[in-house]
Amino acid sequence: MSEALALVPKSEVKLGLKDFKTDQEVRWCPGCGDYAILAAVQSFMPELGIKRENTVFISGIGCSSRFPYYMNTYGFHSIHGRAPAIATGLASAREDLSVWVVTGDGDSLSIGGNHLIHALRRNVNIKILMFNNRIYGLTKGQYSPTSETGKITKSSPMGSVDSPFNPISLAIGAEASFVARTLDSDRQHLQSVLRQAAQHRGAALVEIYQNCNIFNDNAFEPMKDPDVRDDVTIRLEHGQPILFGKEREKALVRDGFGFKVGAPGDADVVVHDAETTDPSLAFALSRLDQPAFTHVPIGVFRSAPRPAYDELLNGQVGEAKAQKGRGSLTDLLQGGDTWRVD
């Protein structure tokens, strides 16, 4: 068992896919990418070998936030944008839990923006799955914080004038210790990224491109179209040169502070280093899809271990108990800066 799960009790019985399914009817629009993500997560969870009662899924508001109802674990359907804050409290108080946050681009990057940023900055030991469909689906098709400039929607009939968030760039800028991107329809890659996130001790953000076939259909079609996907999609592998194309005949080559497309035999072919403490390479890679779909990296951008928030916090609590004893809640409430009004 990895260090990230060392304090989580192991299951005494072998679990399977059916153990993580609930009796609730799964209710998303037919063809929604959420179905594929749910199936991938349910079939992946038994790999962890931990007790279901020590696994928690916390969500906010949005289509993706129905997720806890469909996972046969503990769950919490919280309020808009606050899932990372609730998860922070739970992960800090209960180090014996595996805590997962399921959120959408609207939930986590609009009203929940600060909660997301600070959970990542603090390196709380939680795994955040951000379903990014670049639209507000539950409220019926308004543009979201990740919608492209010029996007015509019900709330932007003349085209959005906003500049979209890049969740990967945002997470790296917040000093997140684990940042990755994957795709709803690529189950093997999705589960590989989930596996690496679960094994990481600290905050892990996984952006999942998720198709909304009702309000933003085919938003990520270039990454799925067999004719162009190998030229568009760059698969990042730690320690390996960054090659792509149908025959892996193209390479990412350094060009000043950025990159250009070259050949595998060129000098300065970029070798991906996800584990370096310097986030500059990961950040530069996150900008490759600007403007949309020039080249889109998927995989783990950054996996740089550093102390997790909960272990630092609980270390202080343990030190305080050793110095002053367990203390009394009554004494705390009645002592110090309190007074009585007659």
Side-chain angles (χ1 to χ4, degrees):
M1 183 177 291
S2 70
E3 181 186 352
L5 299 170
L7 300 178
V8 183
K10 295 182 181 180
S11 175
E12 297 172 358
V13 298
K14 185 175 177 59
L15 300 174
L17 167 63
K18 292 182 179 180
D19 295 304
F20 286 90
K21 291 184 176 182
T22 70
D23 60 359
Q24 299 297 299
E25 178 187 359
V26 182
R27 299 184 63 184
W28 286 308
C29 299
C32 175
D34 288 357
Y35 285 99
I37 300 171
L38 175 64
V41 172
Q42 287 175 330
S43 61
F44 156 74
M45 291 304 294
E47 288 187 23
L48 300 182
I50 59 178
K51 290 185 175 182
R52 288 178 298 163
E53 56 267 38
N54 288 80
T55 305
V56 186
F57 280 82
I58 300 174
S59 65
I61 297 296
C63 295
S64 63
S65 293
R66 293 173 176 162
F67 211 87
Y69 296 105
Y70 310 139
M71 293 297 300
N72 194 19
T73 64
Y74 278 106
F76 194 130
H77 192 171
S78 72
I79 55 179
H80 205 189
R82 271 62 176 183
I86 293 169
T88 294
L90 188 59
S92 299
R94 291 285 304 273
E95 291 185 287
D96 62 329
L97 299 180
S98 176
V99 181
W100 297 73
V101 170
V102 177
T103 183
D105 51 304
D107 183 53
S108 60
L109 294 175
S110 55
I111 192 170
N114 273 346
H115 294 293
L116 175 70
I117 289 170
H118 293 296
L120 296 175
R121 175 183 65 85
R122 287 171 170 151
N123 201 34
V124 181
N125 190 31
I126 59 177
K127 317 307 166 194
I128 303 172
L129 308 183
M130 180 193 293
F131 297 12
N132 183 4
N133 54 22
R134 293 182 173 170
I135 202 75
Y136 278 108
L138 189 65
T139 51
K140 306 300 185 284
Q142 300 82 7
Y143 78 93
S144 84
T146 57
S147 296
E148 62 270 25
T149 302
K151 182 73 172 180
I152 295 175
T153 71
K154 293 177 180 179
S155 57
S156 55
M158 299 181 68
S160 168
V161 296
D162 283 3
S163 296
F165 264 134
N166 181 320
I168 300 296
S169 298
L170 182 72
I172 295 169
E175 296 290 344
S177 59
F178 184 99
V179 185
R181 176 190 287 147
T182 185
L183 190 65
D184 58 0
S185 60
D186 191 337
R187 183 164 179 164
Q188 182 177 359
H189 188 269
L190 171 56
Q191 290 187 327
S192 172
V193 169
L194 291 175
R195 191 172 296 115
Q196 293 175 76
Q199 294 170 352
H200 179 78
R201 176 70 173 161
L205 176 81
V206 178
E207 179 189 24
I208 306 173
Y209 281 160
Q210 175 253 320
N211 192 51
C212 175
N213 58 313
I214 303 300
F215 297 110
N216 199 24
D217 197 20
N218 296 323
F220 308 107
E221 190 58 24
M223 300 177 68
K224 302 179 181 183
D225 184 346
D227 292 332
V228 299
R229 66 187 179 194
D230 292 324
D231 292 318
V232 169
T233 308
I234 297 176
R235 294 176 179 266
L236 302 175
E237 298 178 44
H238 174 67
Q240 298 298 315
I242 301 179
L243 308 178
F244 59 103
K246 288 187 176 181
E247 305 296 331
R248 294 177 66 81
E249 73 281 4
K250 300 177 182 178
L252 208 61
V253 178
R254 292 191 181 275
D255 183 25
F257 290 106
F259 308 106
K260 63 181 180 181
V261 177
D266 290 348
D268 294 328
V269 170
V270 179
V271 175
H272 184 46
D273 185 359
E275 297 179 1
T276 177
T277 55
D278 181 359
S280 57
L281 173 61
F283 188 83
L285 289 170
S286 75
R287 309 307 296 172
L288 284 175
D289 61 345
Q290 308 295 316
F293 295 117
T294 303
H295 298 293
V296 185
I298 62 174
V300 178
F301 288 74
R302 189 172 194 229
S303 180
R306 61 184 175 93
Y309 179 80
D310 57 295
E311 62 186 83
L312 296 175
L313 178 65
N314 285 299
Q316 289 185 334
V317 171
E319 184 178 346
K321 287 180 179 179
Q323 292 178 359
K324 300 181 179 181
R326 289 185 60 84
S328 164
L329 180 59
T330 300
D331 292 343
L332 175 65
L333 295 175
Q334 295 181 350
D337 299 327
T338 61
W339 60 94
R340 181 186 299 274
V341 178
D342 295 324

